[in-house]
Amino acid sequence: MKVKVFVFITTLLLVGASSSQVFAGAWTAKQGGMYNKLAFNYFESKHYYDSEGDRHRLAYDGKYTDTNLNWYLEYGLTDQLTLLGSFYYKWLEQENDYFRAKSDGVGDFEVGLKWKILDDPLVLAIQGLTKISGPYDDDEVPGLGNDQTDFELRLLLGKSLYPLPLYMGLEAAYRWRTQAPSDEWRLLAELGGNAGNYFYGRIKLDCLFSANNADSGAGFTNITLTPEYDLVTLDTTVGVKFNEHLSLELSCTPTLYGENTAAGFSVSSALIYSF
């Protein structure tokens, strides 16, 4: 199953790379400009993917939920160099017929830099990112994070479908994990655009594949943070622009495939302010 998913994703990326489109993810903010996104997210899982990618019901009528607030920002240091950050506060709950556990607190946060190195004939950027452990107790159940620092290098590509009001983007990344869990390969393909002056939408196919190099005996305290897992999700978002600075987004993101992780869906609402 993993081979079939990889072939499908590779084919999609090759098709996208051969077209002529612009990807928002590859763009940097103008100098002094800022993008702020405050999102309320809810993830629910009553199933899990086993090591073969098969989906099963959680034991004893189990259920896992992750409710969180996320602030994502980008700030233009120069026209080509953007500072970015992502910060979470989480409320987690895991329960079944015999057990119930809750935790809440500040989760892991990410900071990074995105450097745009090419505008034409396509947009090309490189991004470096560090994930830093949040100020939580690593004995929390469910765990709020892995209590470790990760490093990621990402390549972003994009082009415009002009004169159509569409863009398409591609991303590929490798994340080095500093402790027991496996490193990760990450791929993303996005198609989006405007519908008139006030409405817009996008679809993101987001893929994470384990490098399968976790330390032997690595443990976990959260069904979504196992030492070696694969996950493919499809994010569908619609948005409305109130003016040139303020907009509102609604998203739904089901899991499509996975191994050794939770199966479920998330819904989100987000307020975006930029200048």
Side-chain angles (χ1 to χ4, degrees), residues 87-90 104-109 134-136 144:
F87 308 90
Y88 281 93
Y89 193 95
K90 291 176 172 279
D104 68 90
V106 177
D108 297 334
F109 55 94
Y136 48 76
L144 292 165

Side-chain angles (χ1 to χ4, degrees), residues 19-266:
S19 39
S20 59
Q21 299 122 9
V22 140
F23 179 33
W27 294 107
T28 49
K30 66 180 181 181
Q31 185 172 4
M34 191 171 187
Y35 172 91
N36 296 275
K37 178 178 179 179
L38 182 64
F40 177 78
N41 310 296
Y42 174 79
F43 173 77
E44 179 179 302
S45 172
K46 296 181 179 180
H47 298 80
Y48 72 96
Y49 296 108
D50 65 17
S51 60
E52 301 298 322
D54 296 323
R55 183 171 173 144
H56 303 276
R57 186 71 170 87
L58 290 174
Y60 306 113
D61 200 28
K63 179 180 176 181
Y64 171 83
T65 61
D66 178 345
T67 305
N68 64 77
L69 282 172
N70 172 238
W71 175 34
Y72 175 80
L73 66 94
E74 294 193 3
Y75 178 76
L77 300 174
T78 71
D79 289 345
Q80 283 72 41
L81 187 65
T82 291
L83 173 70
L84 56 92
S86 182
F87 308 90
Y88 281 93
Y89 193 95
K90 291 176 172 279
W91 296 267
L92 307 181
E93 184 171 351
Q94 188 170 331
E95 62 179 328
N96 59 37
D97 291 337
Y98 305 101
F99 169 83
R100 186 178 186 185
K102 291 183 177 181
S103 61
D104 68 90
V106 177
D108 297 334
F109 55 94
E110 298 179 332
V111 293
L113 291 170
K114 179 166 56 176
W115 177 39
K116 186 175 65 176
I117 58 178
L118 190 64
D119 267 318
D120 189 62
L122 53 78
V123 182
L124 173 64
I126 296 175
Q127 179 177 294
L129 181 142
T130 300
K131 190 208 80 178
I132 301 170
S133 176
Y136 48 76
D137 185 343
D138 60 4
D139 292 328
E140 292 262 22
V141 177
L144 292 165
N146 285 113
D147 194 27
Q148 66 181 54
T149 300
D150 299 339
F151 303 96
E152 180 183 288
L153 185 63
R154 182 175 294 257
L155 179 69
L156 307 95
L157 300 172
K159 247 184 166 303
S160 172
L161 279 171
Y162 182 83
L164 296 176
L166 298 172
Y167 69 88
M168 187 172 180
L170 306 172
E171 300 181 18
Y174 189 83
R175 179 168 290 207
W176 290 269
R177 313 197 71 191
T178 55
Q179 295 185 33
S182 169
D183 294 346
E184 297 167 350
W185 292 98
R186 297 182 174 216
L187 301 172
L188 184 145
E190 177 177 0
L191 178 66
N194 297 321
N197 295 324
Y198 300 102
F199 299 98
Y200 62 93
R202 63 177 178 269
I203 298 175
K204 288 185 181 181
L205 186 66
D206 197 351
C207 310
L208 184 156
F209 296 112
S210 170
N212 296 318
N213 60 353
D215 291 349
S216 177
F220 63 97
T221 58
N222 183 319
I223 191 175
T224 65
L225 299 174
T226 59
E228 292 183 349
Y229 70 94
D230 299 341
L231 185 63
V232 178
T233 62
L234 183 67
D235 178 333
T236 302
T237 297
V238 294
V240 56
K241 300 176 183 177
F242 300 114
N243 53 51
E244 62 178 325
H245 301 293
L246 189 65
S247 60
L248 175 69
E249 293 183 354
L250 300 174
S251 304
C252 181
T253 309
T255 63
L256 301 183
Y257 170 78
E259 291 184 9
N260 300 315
T261 192
F265 69 92
S266 64

